[in-house]
Amino acid sequence: VNRTRIDVVLAAIGLEVQRVRGTRAWVLCPFHESSSTSAFFVRRAGERAGTYHCFSCKAGGSLADLVMHVRGLAGEAGEKEARDFIRSAGKGFEPARRRVRVVAREAEISRARFSLPREIVFAPWEEWLTEPRAYLEGRGLGREEAEAFRIGYAVSGPLAGRVVVPFLDERGYPQSYSARTLVGDVPKYRTPDEREGASVDAVFGAHLWPPAAERKRCAVIATEGAIDAMSIRRILQGMPDARAVVCALNGSEPQAGQLLALATFGVVLDASDDDPAGNGAARTIRYAMGRHAEYRRLLLPADANTMLAGGDGARPRPKLLRKLIGVALTG
Ligand SMILES: [Zn+2]
């Protein structure tokens, strides 16, 4: 979003822009006591640039009217001062005289929100195609995970023949995805291209976390892959007393934002794989947690999913998985 002259004036009078949509900058209305959602916008470009309107209290007028109101100016002299202010906005003028409510600005308003590729099919479980459904069921997973984690699949486009696991943030917005091939394509897992605008800080499972205020009494079990995280969640569902949730970091290179998210918990159970890459990740996580969270390693004799459902010639060992999780949670 290019900054316009109007944006500069709005900043100079201390009005925080909540969001910009096209030519409209949405701000909390300074003419009435408003809630957290804004019904007030200022046209920031075009023929009528600077004019404003409130859908709630019906205030409306010119940019000079707005500046006069916010800065408490009146009369002809006030009008002149407002016009002078606008002309030299941001240069040597005092901040707003009237107290103006400051609202949290949406992070990086100029950045488009990541969205999942359109070709992904999100069908009710009954309508899933055989192959993706058989894949999840073969892993000991199914409807529960498909619904809780909003898993989809693609039959066309670049992700064709893949099960797509979205990474949803704490508010449920997609931040990234991991798409596993069902037909032996390379790479086995496909993640978003940089140009798609995905976040490297995305954490799989965050949309099911408790509110931040409750997390210090709670443990998070961090795995590398989403399938392992979902497998551990299956086990946790049979442990009603366990105060623990899961997440996956999508690999063995924990990112700063992911570490910050982990540090909001009281205990971090690190289920990184027991291999050189996993042990490197474990070191990073342990150092990053420092005093923020209690760090414990959850070393498993095999992938959590292999323990849940078997595979590669190994038999399922869900009871052992449950026992090891229980021991690690007890500390
Ligand atoms: Zn209003």
Side-chain angles (χ1 to χ4, degrees), residues 65 72 117 135 146-147 175 191 211 228 232 274:
D65 295 333
Y135 167 73
E147 289 175 355
Q175 301 293 302
T191 50
D228 288 328
I232 289 178
D274 190 10

Side-chain angles (χ1 to χ4, degrees), residues 74 85 139 165 200 223 258 283:
F85 179 91
R139 293 275 186 140
V165 178
V200 295
T223 64
Q258 295 180 320
R283 247 189 322 276

Side-chain angles (χ1 to χ4, degrees), residues 29-34 39-40 53-59:
C29 180
F31 293 86
H32 79 277
E33 274 293 314
S34 51
F40 178 92
H53 178 74
C54 178
F55 286 111
S56 180
C57 70
K58 310 296 177 203

